């Protein structure tokens, strides 16, 4: 019986094996034919499709036959049927399934590559990616300082970064770009070297090249590591020292050769000298050493030479006092004594920030932040895969030392980073990211050994696809940042236009860019740039006013920051690009760069001219207009002035300024209007208009000018964006005219309505305008014309439908009202698109062109006076952000006139908006206390976002909410106050 069963199963396997090439070839052919059919715009008829499918299937069968002849199993090609059978055209899914099949094939037939070339290939590939997305020039904040310090061999802020500075100097000698670009290149080399070392570590520890490459891909494509590998910073070198020290120590643990322990000690010492926080990793390192060689503690001869090597590595720190004594061009805190040296190297000025969060409520809050950070770095799948891999690697008794060391590195760095009071927790966790990647690779190799070969291949393919998908999401962001020169443009514009011998009072974020341009590139040496730092308990706005008062009588003063207290001072604040020139006396004449435009509003307001920063705009982009005017006589009443962008569909952007009656005749007034365009602004030509108005009872009246109620300043072109804003619901729905729906978002902020945002992209030139129609039970509920778009352009439509319907059908028609065909698989015509509307409260409220407010969580229905209330607001970044924004949440009772607010950097300072990439969803939790004196009633929960330096708010880009008075803030919920 047994023999017959074995023979039967053998025959079955042989039959399956004989049919596999045919099925694999057919799958490849069908997959290829669908890709070709969907690669071109327009519908496909069966007359065209049938020959295409037959030709592709024939070619697929031939390839499968060749693979079998070459002793390669073609069965992974059968997986391509996944996309063949998928009911919607989705290029990303098609690419993911192809990558899935390729990885499985490579895992079953691994190429024979000698070990050194694996590391070399990793280094060159990752270096190519990072150079391709490298920041192009000087950057703000710490990056700008590092770009300045290395070329002039200066001294950076504590702990000094001596080794980084000296190595960076070598990179500045490379004849590529400017010195700032070369320092960015240094970061790219450090990042690529880290990944090559990680591959070496995991491959040698696990004897699995595939697992090592997965570990490197996980780390290398994570957003923060990618960012640090494209901008001048010290974190990429910190990561390199982490992985190199770990690799040397593991090699010693395996070989027990003294030279590896000596090399480890020297490398670890250099790492500590580079950044003292790495010293905390000494705890897991020491535990590993004792675990691998318990008797080493009683054998001094074995650890004397490593200790000497450790001590010798610290001699690199002598650069700091020696260079300071020479009088380097950049040395903000000169080192003149042993105390100065110790204080600088150990960064004792920050010692109060270590383990700052240590109470249980703080730790729980920081734990939530850490979970958020890990999700942003690795998505949802990879952290769980890392946890399972870590558990799997701890099961074999012989392998626990290696896994334990990696877990220890992760735990120590995570604990120190989440308890540290710093606004860049997302970067301080970089050593833990290294440990997580190593754990995933090492644990994956351990787990695969206990799996069937094909199961292990499927697991590896799943992880690679998840990593590649997440990396692909952020590739566009880094390509966009590769073109970003905003930091240089900001500093150059102010330095070029500042009066002679100006003093620029700057925040740290901007100061380093100024210093770089002056010290390295020799720009405007007559201007002094002084960093205004916080001074203990003194409010920061008072510090700035003191510095202004100390200098404004002697020389021109420019400030980069704006505080509410400034408007109550005796100074006059003249805009200078995005900064302000401070004067004791008001200016008497407009600057020379003003476009003259003279007109008289009413009887006694004269317009003199204006300036505008950009004359070609895109939806979501901010308009910045400065209008210069003066009263020709005493003003009879209070007026308000406005600037609008006016088109055929109405106003798409506006800002208003209120004016009192105390203006002296002929006083020069400067109004700065900053407002972004609505995301659904159609691309066309608009009129930039201005005017004055006053309240007339419950209405308002505009002042006449040149026979109109407004004055046209000039015409502005609004062009379409290349990519639509980030969306919560990605999709790819093509139509016959080359138009694709790339995403849909819903907002129910206004009672009785559901707003549907349609994000569209035009692949091919549009011959004519199309119109979107939304139907409910075949009755129209909304429609809007799509602007004519060039190839490669995008636009967003906003359509409002009643909120009591559950679904709508979407159709498109051309100018002759004929339907535009919706395309399905193989671009075959298909039916109407069904959109199912959310029945719960959802929000997607654009704030500027920067982010969208997604709602408020955790707000209770009621609270009593004295109770604390947790307000957690959620945001979606619409693009990669390059500004530092503060989030403000509040509780306000208009009836009893009390308000409580909490402002600050998102996520307890751990995820500043400067680090946000497109599609990031970030939560911000703040606690407010209801006042003890609050009477029973209802309080509004409010949310707003503003620039941390200029206080300029992000405008609400929803004309429905703006009409209700929510121009720069949102009233998002209500809280009942009980007695």
């Amino acid at each position: 019986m047994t023999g017959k069963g074995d023979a039967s199963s053998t025959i079955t396997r042989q039959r399956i094996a004989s049919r596999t090439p045919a099925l694999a070839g057919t799958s490849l052919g069908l997959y290829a034919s669908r890709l070709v059919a969907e690669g071109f715009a327009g519908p496909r008829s069966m007359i065209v499709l049938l020959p295409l499918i037959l030709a592709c299937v024939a070619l697929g069968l031939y390839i499968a036959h060749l693979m079998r002849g070459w002793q390669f199993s073609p069965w992974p090609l059968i997986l391509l049927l996944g996309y063949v059978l998928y009911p919607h055209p989705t290029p990303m899914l098609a690419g993911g399934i192809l990558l899935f099949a390729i990885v499985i094939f490579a895992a079953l037939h691994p190429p024979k590559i000698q070990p050194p070339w694996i590391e070399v290939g990793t280094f060159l590939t990752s270096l190519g990616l990072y150079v391709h997305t490298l920041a192009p020039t000087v950057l703000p904040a710490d990056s700008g300082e590092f770009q300045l310090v290395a070329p002039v061999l200066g001294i950076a802020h504590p702990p000094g970064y001596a080794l980084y500075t000296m190595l960076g100097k070598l990179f500045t000698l490379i004849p590529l770009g400017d010195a700032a670009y070369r320092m960015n290149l240094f970061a790219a080399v450090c990042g690529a070297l880290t990944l090559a070392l990680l591959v070496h570590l995991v491959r040698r520890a696990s004897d699995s090249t595939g697992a090592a490459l997965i570990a490197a891909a996980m780390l290398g494509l994570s957003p923060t590591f990618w960012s640090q590998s494209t901008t001048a910073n010290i974190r990429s070198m910190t990561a390199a020292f982490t992985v190199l020290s770990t690799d040397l120590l593991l090699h010693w643990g395996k070989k027990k050769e003294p030279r590896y322990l000596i090399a480890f000690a020297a490398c670890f010492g250099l790492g500590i000298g580079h950044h003292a926080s790495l010293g905390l990793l000494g705890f897991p390192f020491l535990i590993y050493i004792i675990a691998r060689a318990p008797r080493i503690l009683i054998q001094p001869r074995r650890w004397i030479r490593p200790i000497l090597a450790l001590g010798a590595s610290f001699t690199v720190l002598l650069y700091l006092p020696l260079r300071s004594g020479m009088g380097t061009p950049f040395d903000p805190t000169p080192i003149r004594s042993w105390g100065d040296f110790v204080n600088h190297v150990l960064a004792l000025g920050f010692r109060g920030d270590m383990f700052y969060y240590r109470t249980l409520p703080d730790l729980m809050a920081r734990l939530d932040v850490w979970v958020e950070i890990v999700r942003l770095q690795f998505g949802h799948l990879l952290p769980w895969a890392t946890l399972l891999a870590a558990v799997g690697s701890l099961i074999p008794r012989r392998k626990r030392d290696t896994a334990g060391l990696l877990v220890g590195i992760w735990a120590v760095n995570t604990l120190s980073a989440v308890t540290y009071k710093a606004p860049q927790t997302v970067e301080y966790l970089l050593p833990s990211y290294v440990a997580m990647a190593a754990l995933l690779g090492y644990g994956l190799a351990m787990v695969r050994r206990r799996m069937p070969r094909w199961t292990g291949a499927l697991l590896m393919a799943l992880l690679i696809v998840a990593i590649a998908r997440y990396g692909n999401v952020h590739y566009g962001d880094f390509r966009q940042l590769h073109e970003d020169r905003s930091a240089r443009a900001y500093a150059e514009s102010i330095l070029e236009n500042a009066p002679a011998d100006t003093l620029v009072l700057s925040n740290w974020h901007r100061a380093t860019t100024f210093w770089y341009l002056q010290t390295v590139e020799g720009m405007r040496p007559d201007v002094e740039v002084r960093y205004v730092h916080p001074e203990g308990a003194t409010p920061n706005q008072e510090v700035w006013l003191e510095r202004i008062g100390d200098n404004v009588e002697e020389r021109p003063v420019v400030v980069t920051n704006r505080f509410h207290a400034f408007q109550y001072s005796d100074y006059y604040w003249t805009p200078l690009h995005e900064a302000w020139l401070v004067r004791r006396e008001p200016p008497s004449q407009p600057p020379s760069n003003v476009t003259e435009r003279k007109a008289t509003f009413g009887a006694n307001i004269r317009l003199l001219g204006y300036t505008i920063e950009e004359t070609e705009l895109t939806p979501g982009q901010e308009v910045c207009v400065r209008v210069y005017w003066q009263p020709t006589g005493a003003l009879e009443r209070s007026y308000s002035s406005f600037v609008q962008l006016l088109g055929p569909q109405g106003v798409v952007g506006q800002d208003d300024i209120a004016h009192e009656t105390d203006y002296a005749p002929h006083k020069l007034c400067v109004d700065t209007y900053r407002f972004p365009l609505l995301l659904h602004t159609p691309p066309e030509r608009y009129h930039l208009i201005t005017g004055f108005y006053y309240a007339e009872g419950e209405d308002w009246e505009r002042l006449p000018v040149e026979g109109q109620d407004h004055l046209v300043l000039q015409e502005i072109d609004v062009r379409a964006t290349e990519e639509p804003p980030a969306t919560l619901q990605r999709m790819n729905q093509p139509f016959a005219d080359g138009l694709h729906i790339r995403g849909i978002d819903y907002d129910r902020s206004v009672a009785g309505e559901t707003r549907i945002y349609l994000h569209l992209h035009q692949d091919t030139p549009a011959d004519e305008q199309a119109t979107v129609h939304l139907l409910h039970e075949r009755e129209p509920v909304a429609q809007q014309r799509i602007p004519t778009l060039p190839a490669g352009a995008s636009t967003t439509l906003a359509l409002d439908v009643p909120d009591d319907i559950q679904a709508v059908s979407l159709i498109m028609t051309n100018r002759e009202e004929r339907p535009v065909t919706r395309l399905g698989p193989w671009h075959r015509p298909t039916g109407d698109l069904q959109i199912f509307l959310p029945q719960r409260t959802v929000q997607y409220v654009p704030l500027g062109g920067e982010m969208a407010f997604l709602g408020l969580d955790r707000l209770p229905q009621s609270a009593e006076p004295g109770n604390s209330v947790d307000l957690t607001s959620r945001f979606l970044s619409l693009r990669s952000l390059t500004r530092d924004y503060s989030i403000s949440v509040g509780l306000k009772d208009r009836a009893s006139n009390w308000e409580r607010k909490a402002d600050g950097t998102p996520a307890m300072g751990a995820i500043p908006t400067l680090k946000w990439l497109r599609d990031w969803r970030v939560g911000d939790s703040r606690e407010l206390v209801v006042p003890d004196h609050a009477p029973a009633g209802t309080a509004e929960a409010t949310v707003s976002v503003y620039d941390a330096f200029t206080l300029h708010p992000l405008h609400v880009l929803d004309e429905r909410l703006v009409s209700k008075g929510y121009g720069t803030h949102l009233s998002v919920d209500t809280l009942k106050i009980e007695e």
Side-chain angles (χ1 to χ4, degrees):
M1 294 292 292
T2 303
K4 290 182 180 179
D6 291 343
S8 177
S9 61
T10 300
I11 293 173
T12 301
R13 286 195 299 270
Q14 290 176 347
R15 287 176 178 174
I16 294 175
S18 65
R19 295 172 182 171
T20 294
L23 182 57
T26 303
S27 300
L28 175 61
L30 292 174
Y31 173 87
S33 66
R34 179 166 177 178
L35 284 189
V36 172
E38 294 174 359
F40 300 92
R44 300 285 172 265
S45 66
M46 288 306 299
I47 297 177
V48 174
L49 276 180
L50 191 57
L52 173 65
I53 292 173
L54 292 175
C56 289
V57 168
L59 180 61
L61 290 172
Y62 178 68
I63 292 174
H65 174 72
L66 291 179
M67 292 174 62
R68 189 179 184 188
W70 294 336
Q71 303 301 311
F72 290 146
S73 174
W75 78 260
L77 298 178
I78 299 175
L79 298 172
L80 299 179
L81 280 175
Y83 186 65
V84 172
L85 301 176
Y86 189 71
H88 305 291
T90 310
M92 184 173 290
L93 177 64
I97 291 177
L98 178 61
L99 178 62
F100 191 78
I102 291 173
V103 173
I104 290 178
F105 182 83
L108 294 176
H109 309 282
K112 295 180 180 180
I113 304 175
Q114 295 301 318
W117 294 108
I118 299 171
E119 285 82 354
V120 171
T122 301
F123 176 82
L124 294 177
T125 301
S126 54
L127 180 62
L129 174 64
Y130 295 148
V131 171
H132 182 60
T133 55
L134 201 65
T137 186
V138 65
L139 298 164
D142 287 2
S143 292
E145 182 194 21
F146 298 137
Q147 291 168 324
L148 157 65
V149 167
V152 301
L153 286 177
I155 297 178
H157 69 272
Y161 311 108
L163 180 61
Y164 174 86
T165 301
M166 290 186 285
L167 293 177
K169 175 63 177 179
L170 298 179
F171 272 83
T172 63
L173 303 178
I174 300 174
L176 290 173
D178 54 30
Y181 177 86
R182 298 164 195 172
M183 290 303 295
N184 297 336
L185 181 62
F186 181 27
V189 171
C190 287
L193 182 62
T194 300
L195 298 182
L197 291 170
L198 181 63
V199 167
H200 185 68
L201 183 156
V202 175
R203 182 186 57 78
R204 197 160 60 175
S206 65
D207 198 26
S208 172
T209 299
L213 293 175
I214 287 177
M218 173 184 174
L219 179 64
L221 296 179
S222 62
T224 295
F225 186 87
W226 195 339
S227 172
Q228 299 302 291
S229 298
T230 56
T231 57
N233 69 93
I234 52 88
R235 306 288 172 204
S236 52
M237 184 178 280
T238 302
F241 276 122
T242 300
V243 68
L244 180 57
S245 299
T246 306
D247 187 33
L248 289 170
L249 188 59
L250 288 174
H251 206 46
W252 168 82
K254 183 177 181 180
K255 299 283 188 178
K256 296 294 177 61
E257 296 181 10
R259 57 177 176 153
Y260 290 114
L261 191 60
I262 295 171
F264 157 76
C267 176
F268 185 46
L270 289 173
I272 296 174
H274 172 65
H275 201 284
S277 65
L278 286 180
L280 295 173
L281 300 185
F283 292 106
F285 287 157
L286 183 60
I287 292 172
Y288 177 83
I289 291 172
I290 295 174
R292 296 298 296 167
R295 296 179 58 83
I296 195 171
L297 293 177
I298 59 175
Q299 297 173 332
R301 295 181 61 181
R302 297 181 63 183
W303 46 263
I304 287 178
R305 284 189 294 172
I307 288 179
L308 291 175
L310 179 71
S313 67
F314 294 137
T315 57
V316 71
L317 299 177
L318 294 177
Y319 164 86
L320 300 175
L322 292 175
R323 187 61 180 148
S324 182
M326 295 178 186
T328 174
F330 187 81
D331 187 7
T333 54
I335 300 172
R336 297 293 183 264
S337 66
W338 172 253
D340 292 341
F341 175 70
V342 172
N343 187 67
H344 198 98
V345 169
L346 297 182
L348 296 181
F350 300 106
R351 60 182 178 273
D353 295 337
M354 290 293 295
F355 303 109
Y356 180 86
Y357 300 106
R358 51 182 179 270
T359 66
L360 184 59
D362 283 345
L363 289 175
M364 295 305 295
R366 294 292 285 182
L367 179 61
D368 287 342
V369 171
W370 174 79
V371 171
E372 183 96 332
I373 290 174
V374 171
R375 178 187 62 79
L376 292 172
Q377 298 304 313
F378 304 111
H380 296 282
L381 174 63
L382 293 179
W384 287 108
T386 302
L387 177 61
L388 295 176
V391 172
S393 64
L394 289 169
I395 293 176
R397 183 180 299 272
R398 294 183 299 104
K399 303 293 185 178
R400 288 180 184 173
D401 290 347
T402 300
L405 174 60
L406 297 175
V407 170
I409 294 171
W410 167 83
V412 168
N413 178 251
T414 300
L415 179 63
S416 63
V418 299
T419 58
Y420 187 64
K421 184 184 178 184
Q424 290 96 15
T425 305
V426 67
E427 294 176 5
Y428 280 92
L429 283 165
L430 207 55
S432 76
Y433 305 156
V434 172
M436 289 178 66
L439 272 170
L440 176 67
Y442 182 73
L444 176 63
M446 298 299 102
V447 172
R448 274 196 68 196
R449 290 196 178 98
R450 299 191 292 272
M451 287 182 173
R453 189 181 179 191
W454 66 270
T455 305
L458 286 174
L459 178 59
M460 292 184 64
L462 179 64
L463 292 175
I464 282 289
V465 169
I467 294 169
R469 178 187 177 278
Y470 205 57
N472 180 66
V473 167
H474 292 121
Y475 169 76
D477 299 312
F478 288 107
R479 280 299 295 170
Q480 175 188 332
L481 293 173
H482 175 67
E483 305 294 334
D484 180 48
R485 299 174 178 268
S486 58
R488 175 181 281 274
Y490 174 93
E492 284 182 341
S493 64
I494 293 173
L495 289 177
E496 288 172 352
N497 293 280
D501 300 317
T502 291
L503 170 65
V504 177
L505 299 178
S506 175
N507 55 65
W508 178 256
H509 183 79
R510 297 299 188 185
T512 59
T513 312
F514 288 127
W515 291 332
Y516 169 86
L517 292 176
Q518 289 183 303
T519 308
V520 178
E521 299 187 5
M523 187 175 183
R524 288 299 301 268
D526 62 302
V527 173
E528 179 187 355
V529 178
R530 191 179 301 171
Y531 165 47
V532 181
H533 55 82
E535 297 182 4
T538 304
N540 210 19
Q541 57 192 18
E542 293 184 14
V543 176
W544 280 76
L545 285 171
E546 288 178 8
R547 297 295 162 267
I548 294 170
D550 293 342
N551 297 276
V552 72
E553 301 289 352
E554 303 173 358
R555 58 198 299 194
V557 174
V558 171
V559 297
T560 61
N561 281 35
R562 184 80 173 177
F563 296 93
H564 292 299
F566 285 6
Q567 62 184 324
Y568 305 110
S569 67
D570 296 329
Y571 304 115
Y572 294 89
W573 310 86
T574 303
L576 183 68
H577 294 275
E578 293 189 54
W580 292 268
L581 178 62
V582 187
R583 301 175 185 266
R584 278 292 190 186
E585 300 295 331
S588 58
Q589 295 294 329
S592 59
N593 64 333
V594 166
T595 300
E596 185 176 289
R597 182 69 167 94
K598 293 186 177 180
T600 300
F601 293 83
N604 52 11
I605 294 180
R606 179 192 300 159
L607 185 77
L608 302 176
Y610 68 95
T611 62
I612 181 169
E613 291 188 358
E614 296 286 346
T615 57
E616 286 193 3
L617 303 165
T618 57
Q621 188 174 351
E622 189 173 70
V623 180
C624 182
V625 180
R626 293 189 176 91
V627 176
Y628 296 80
W629 62 279
Q630 60 185 185
T632 56
L635 298 180
E636 300 174 354
R637 54 165 60 93
S638 297
Y639 294 98
S640 292
S641 58
F642 68 89
V643 165
Q644 294 177 344
L645 204 61
L646 182 64
Q649 295 82 15
V651 177
V652 297
Q654 174 175 335
D655 198 11
D656 294 65
I657 296 176
H659 300 284
E660 301 300 329
T661 60
D662 57 351
Y663 290 100
H666 305 291
K667 170 189 173 183
L668 179 64
C669 302
V670 185
D671 292 338
T672 300
Y673 302 89
R674 305 180 72 95
F675 58 90
L677 303 183
L678 297 172
L679 291 186
H680 48 283
T681 300
E684 55 185 74
R685 178 159 290 189
Y686 292 82
H687 289 110
L688 183 70
I689 67 173
T690 188
F692 288 81
Y693 63 93
Y694 59 92
E696 186 70 34
E698 295 183 356
D699 205 350
W700 50 267
E701 187 73 25
R702 287 185 179 181
L703 294 181
V705 55
E706 298 181 357
Q708 302 287 330
D709 65 354
H710 65 270
L711 182 71
V712 176
L713 297 179
Q714 71 173 71
E715 292 185 332
I716 298 292
D717 288 323
V718 176
R719 51 186 173 80
T721 58
E722 294 183 2
E723 286 292 332
T727 174
L728 293 174
Q729 299 190 50
R730 287 172 173 261
M731 63 185 306
N732 182 74
Q733 177 55 64
F735 286 80
D737 58 356
L739 198 65
H740 289 244
I741 299 178
R742 289 290 179 85
I744 300 180
D745 290 290
Y746 308 98
D747 179 72
R748 303 186 72 187
S749 299
V750 176
E753 291 182 352
T754 298
R755 167 158 286 189
I756 302 174
Y757 287 101
L758 288 179
H759 307 296
L760 308 174
H761 185 79
Q762 185 75 48
D763 277 356
T764 58
D767 296 330
E768 57 183 20
Q769 283 187 324
T771 302
V772 171
H773 303 265
L774 298 182
L775 309 176
H776 175 62
E777 296 179 351
R778 310 311 300 174
E779 293 295 325
V781 291
Q783 72 176 44
Q784 188 169 339
R785 186 172 294 277
I786 303 171
T788 303
L789 300 173
S794 298
T795 191
T796 295
L797 305 183
L799 299 102
D800 299 320
V801 301
D803 67 353
D804 58 350
I805 59 179
Q806 297 184 354
V808 294
S809 299
L810 184 150
I811 64 171
M812 289 190 188
T813 59
N814 59 20
R815 185 170 297 173
E816 288 77 28
E817 297 300 325
R818 296 176 180 174
V820 178
T821 305
R822 175 184 169 225
L823 304 180
W826 276 279
H827 275 192
R828 290 283 297 154
T830 187
D832 299 344
L833 177 64
Q834 297 297 312
I835 299 177
F836 296 95
L837 304 179
Q839 299 306 301
R840 55 185 176 84
T841 300
V842 294
Q843 291 182 278
Y844 181 95
V845 182
L847 301 177
E850 305 285 85
M851 63 184 72
F853 174 73
L854 301 182
L856 196 67
D857 296 336
R858 302 183 185 178
L859 185 68
Q861 293 183 346
S862 62
E864 297 179 358
N867 286 0
S868 61
V869 179
D870 182 36
L871 280 76
T872 300
S873 47
R874 294 178 290 111
F875 300 89
L876 170 73
S877 56
L878 299 179
R879 63 182 188 89
S880 300
L881 303 187
T882 58
R883 290 182 178 270
D884 195 2
Y885 292 107
S886 291
I887 292 174
S888 175
V889 298
L891 290 174
K892 183 176 184 178
D893 186 346
R894 299 179 185 273
S896 56
N897 198 29
W898 64 263
E899 184 176 13
R900 291 290 183 270
K901 298 185 74 173
D903 298 29
T905 303
M908 301 180 72
I911 316 176
T913 59
L914 285 167
K915 312 298 177 185
W916 290 17
L917 297 178
R918 176 188 170 94
D919 282 315
W920 273 26
R921 304 179 196 182
V922 179
D924 177 74
S925 182
R926 300 192 181 274
E927 190 176 86
L928 296 173
V929 178
V930 178
D932 293 332
H933 63 272
T938 301
E940 296 178 64
T942 62
V943 174
S944 61
V945 182
Y946 59 90
D947 189 296
F949 302 128
T950 67
L951 304 186
H952 179 64
L954 290 183
H955 289 244
V956 176
L957 297 191
D958 186 328
E959 70 282 6
R960 304 169 305 159
L961 296 174
V962 172
S963 67
K964 297 177 181 294
Y966 303 124
T968 58
H969 75 282
L970 290 169
S971 178
V972 295
D973 210 337
T974 57
L975 175 71
K976 183 179 179 181
I977 306 299
E978 298 179 341
E979 295 182 357

